[in-house]
Amino acid sequence: MSGAPAPLRVVSLVPSLTEAVAVSTQPGTLVGVTDWCTHPADLGGAARIGGTKNPDTAGIAALRPDLVLANEEENRAADLDALRAAGLRVLVTGIRTLEQAFAELGRVLAACGVRARPGWLDEAEAAWAAVTPGDLTYSAVVPIWRRPWMVLGRDTFAGDLLARLGVRNLYAGHSERYPRVPLDELLAAGPDLVVLPDEPYRFTRDDGPEAFPGLPAALVDGRHLTWYGPSLAEAPASLARALRAVRR
């Protein structure tokens, strides 16, 4: 008598992908996740294997995963090379646009043994398809860090989402993807608003807006702006609300 096949053993080095896999696969699939993997709240018995930039590669190898999920931006090439040298299969995603996110999520889930397309993925695609193309009448700077100030530059997933909602990133044409720009230069760029996510730097009402006096500040959920996974279904409505609140 044959039972159901054992789930693949997967380690995820990307919080977004951790959530996507966790809600779409059999319990027990994820055997290792990073310290930054916070969704869903219950990740079962998955081992914590360090951060996205400093994973415990020996610990990961000891888990004997069938697959390690990574991202070209969030994870270091040296760590991924070490995992491959240990004989592990590493799937590296590249996500700079919404279309790439949907394509890569499909590839990741297929690699994890998901045969039926999950409902959340259909909901996410439908939610973004319903977004009216923005006319880009609002210009913005989008800090992701301070001390030093860093902002969204060219070819970023978050920048693509904002553009679809009618926000033109003033640094979208910069030669770097996440340039360091002094505060006085950000102010001199003449943005209509500043968009402040709560990750990777945790901007709050008391930490961030005061640096941009007189400028409307949209405080947005960083998960909805930067994560690609189930949160994409809620992201357009969440981000639009935050932007509308300061555009009045």
Side-chain angles (χ1 to χ4, degrees), residues 181-201:
V181 183
L183 181 59
D184 59 347
E185 290 186 24
L186 296 180
L187 296 171
D192 296 319
L193 70 157
V194 57
V195 178
L196 298 170
D198 61 8
E199 63 174 84
Y201 185 91

Side-chain angles (χ1 to χ4, degrees), residues 53 71-76 93 95 155-156 177-178:
K53 305 295 186 187
N71 176 264
E72 62 172 0
E73 179 174 81
E74 295 199 47
N75 308 118
R76 301 186 310 163
T93 57
I95 299 173
D155 299 332
T156 66
R177 297 185 65 217
Y178 301 100

Side-chain angles (χ1 to χ4, degrees), residues 1-22:
M1 179 176 174
S2 61
L8 293 178
R9 296 175 59 83
V10 176
V11 168
S12 174
L13 302 181
V14 186
S16 298
L17 299 181
T18 295
E19 182 178 18
V21 172

Side-chain angles (χ1 to χ4, degrees), residues 58-80:
I60 293 171
L63 292 171
R64 297 177 292 105
D66 301 299
L67 179 66
V68 178
L69 301 176
N71 176 264
E72 62 172 0
E73 179 174 81
E74 295 199 47
N75 308 118
R76 301 186 310 163
D79 294 322
L80 305 184

Side-chain angles (χ1 to χ4, degrees), residues 118-186:
W120 64 260
L121 191 50
D122 288 331
E123 292 171 8
E125 290 195 338
W128 281 99
V131 171
T132 302
D135 58 10
L136 303 186
T137 57
Y138 291 91
S139 64
V141 292
V142 191
I144 57 166
W145 203 258
R146 68 183 302 178
R147 304 183 192 95
W149 287 96
M150 297 176 66
V151 298
L152 293 185
R154 64 172 180 84
D155 299 332
T156 66
F157 173 71
D160 185 50
L161 296 193
L162 289 173
R164 293 167 189 272
L165 294 166
V167 177
R168 178 170 61 91
N169 174 16
L170 286 176
Y171 287 87
H174 199 280
S175 60
E176 298 177 25
R177 297 185 65 217
Y178 301 100
R180 296 185 180 187
V181 183
L183 181 59
D184 59 347
E185 290 186 24
L186 296 180

